[in-house]
Amino acid sequence: APRTGAARRTRCGPVQRPVARSFALPAGPDLRHFLRAAAAGQPGPSPELPPEPGSNPGAPKVYLETYGCQMNVSDTEIAWAILQKSGYARTKQLDEEQQLGTQVSWLPREKAEQAIWNRLQHLKALKARRRQARAPLRIGILGCMAERLKEEILHREKLVDVVAGPDAYRDLPRLLAVAESGQQAANVLLSLDETYADILPVQTSAGGTTAFVSIMRGCDNMCSYCIVPFTRGRERSRPIASILQEVRMLSDQGVKEVTLLGQNVNSFRDLSEVQFQSVAAPGLSRGFSTVYKAKAGGLRFSHLLDQVSRIDPEMRIRFTSPHPKDFPDEASVLQLIQERHNICKQLHLPAQSGSTRVLEAMRRGYTREAYLELVQHVRDSIPGVSLSSDFITGFCGETEEDHQQTVSLLREVRYNVGFLFAYSMRQKTRAHHRLQDDVPTDVKKQRLEQLIATFREEAARANAALVGQAQLVLVEGPSKRSALELCGRNDGNIKVIFPDTELEDAAECGAPGRAQPGDYVMVKVTSASSQTLRGVPLCRTTLSRAAASH
């Protein structure tokens, strides 16, 4: 039926609908109520009207567990926003005896798929007990693992009731309704345009000082080892307007650091505004190439970064992960990082290997020499920049000579932060179809240990250069090892530990006080390791004041 207040056309011309009354009709029963009644064998449902989300202690409850990468955390927040709007309540206890309704456990994917299979086995007994108590537990898996292993997930011991891929979260209420009728339900279809732009994620760690904002989904790079294009689909970007709305909301909530999140953030391309759809495609970093043609049109990442950094001068901005190919010589992204005091002087440059031959097999689109030239360009553009990287050891066909070239790259660049992994072949990838996983497991392990040792040695040297310097630290909370110490991160995203003591406030003339999560504290570094800085706090301050006095 036409919406209230809308004109309805007939052959006799427009007829105005009646003006809406001052009261709103309560929501009626949804599909979930009908299917629940059908499963119980009732002749016809006459349920009580569902209450507002979160207002009814008898509302169906959802329990969430998140595994793996930060994209999964972002997906959890999107899924929870959708479920909350559909009348679900959140629980932090998986085995609440007093809870009414249906409880759903979500296990968004990654990092260790085996950990999820193990977790499902732990839930098997709980599910059986809940069935006997007539309070059934429904289990769902969503995210990349759901898309990639749908058939195995649904058929292995029939433990899982709902499977939803990364582009199917809007369908969760329907899938859950089907599951409540006793059937398994799945939707793993990928989309060419789903970005969840109209859904404001509900932060799963309320009151936190940091947050991640997803700006795009999918990837087009087609690296031969990577499953992402097959599990998250093709690259598509959120409209800038929706991203800015979310960042403003986080600023209003007191969040002090936002990380813009995507598989390839610096190839961001907002096509939502018609007037920008004919803009020429930007160039690539010198010596880099892609497997796809240059994409014209749209507002680019530099424009987004500029707009986000203007929202709150007291909010730090980071982004991850960029691809090295998308930093052309004339790129304004590097200029923005250098100029804006609230854009962190920290860059993630995933190298993956130090061997040109292996990089070619990985389809990375650059040589070792091109990568090192880019590193030098970045360091010339942003003095004092902190660099991090990803490395895969033991990729198909990697020789000892290839491995040693990666070791030498770690020494030459001297990263502050590193993420290093042994190669694990994934189905559907180009490597799975075209290459052979021929490096023995024990050799992969040995090479990984050498890479980690080399990284730590060089990172310790890089961090030692900060001893004696004052670093601005965003306080995250108490140190895990001592309640007498606080923990936070500096501009370079390095962890900093310092004593929790009374501090003067450089921005005010008030009495001294202790630093709280979300405060900025100037800390003089006294010692350093490969992963952590230690120091003594000097004063509480603000991001703007610290930048002005630097």
Side-chain angles (χ1 to χ4, degrees), residues 244-275:
L244 298 181
Q245 179 187 7
E246 184 176 347
V247 174
R248 290 190 190 99
M249 178 190 73
L250 293 170
S251 174
D252 292 342
Q253 293 173 356
V255 170
K256 290 297 182 69
E257 181 179 291
V258 160
T259 301
L260 304 179
L261 189 65
Q263 301 293 342
N264 188 181
V265 290
N266 52 341
S267 68
F268 176 89
R269 193 167 62 110
D270 174 13
L271 295 169
S272 64
E273 298 189 40
V274 176
Q275 65 269 35

Side-chain angles (χ1 to χ4, degrees), residues 62-63 101 103 171 195 303 317 412 425 451 457 549:
V62 60
Y63 172 79
Q103 186 178 45
D171 199 27
T195 63
H303 181 85
I317 308 299
E412 188 167 349
M425 183 171 277
L451 289 187
E457 181 182 335
S549 61

